[in-house]
Amino acid sequence: MDMTFQEKSAWGLLVGIGLVSYFYFPAAFDIADSVPHGAPLIVISIVGVVALVIFEAIYHACIAIRDRKDAGDGDERDRLIDLKAERIGSYALGIGLFWLVGQIIATHSSERLEPMSALTIGVWILFALTASEIAKLIAQIVYYRRDA
């Protein structure tokens, strides 16, 4: 079964985001919890974005060279799959942000829990955004596999 350019692109994004997230988020949460200012967090964020851009540029160049005829915008099927996957990603983002608001309320209203710092909340928001993008990419891949 041959994959389309868009499916290969989704796989590449999924792997790239997964790899960067695997290294970024443990370091980011550690910094947010232990460092009083955000300078180291900015540095690792820039490194993470640059690493992801380089990985994706190389990956997409390779698949575009290999599949020159398919490297366009896609057809109606691709757009429909993208819309369905975007909806699932939006649900995942909503769930993640709803959970975060609950955590913020719980930590600020409990005497036993330490309230979250602004940096920690920021990292959790970025985590929710990343998780929603991963959910979207997984949904795209599932839709491509199912419809193939």
Side-chain angles (χ1 to χ4, degrees), residues 41-115:
L41 189 57
I42 292 170
V43 171
I44 69 163
S45 297
I46 291 170
V47 169
V49 168
V50 169
L52 184 60
V53 167
I54 290 170
F55 176 84
E56 292 303 322
I58 292 169
Y59 177 78
H60 278 93
C62 290
I63 64 172
I65 289 169
R66 187 165 177 253
D67 298 331
R68 288 186 183 146
K69 63 179 173 56
D70 291 338
D73 289 335
D75 57 9
E76 188 64 31
R77 175 180 170 254
D78 294 320
R79 286 188 281 280
L80 183 60
I81 286 173
D82 189 51
L83 284 172
K84 288 179 178 179
E86 189 69 48
R87 181 179 57 206
I88 290 173
S90 297
Y91 292 151
L93 179 60
I95 290 167
L97 293 179
F98 185 78
W99 173 86
L100 179 59
V101 169
Q103 283 295 109
I104 293 168
I105 291 169
T107 59
H108 283 276
S109 62
S110 173
E111 294 177 9
R112 291 184 292 219
L113 299 173
E114 184 179 328

Side-chain angles (χ1 to χ4, degrees), residues 9 21 82 98 145:
S9 177
S21 297
D82 189 51
F98 185 78
R145 295 283 91 198

Side-chain angles (χ1 to χ4, degrees), residues 107-144:
T107 59
H108 283 276
S109 62
S110 173
E111 294 177 9
R112 291 184 292 219
L113 299 173
E114 184 179 328
M116 287 191 229
S117 70
L119 282 176
T120 302
I121 292 170
V123 174
W124 275 113
I125 291 171
L126 186 57
F127 184 81
L129 288 166
T130 303
S132 73
E133 186 65 20
I134 289 171
K136 175 192 166 195
L137 293 167
I138 290 171
Q140 277 182 325
I141 291 166
V142 167
Y143 284 131
Y144 277 114

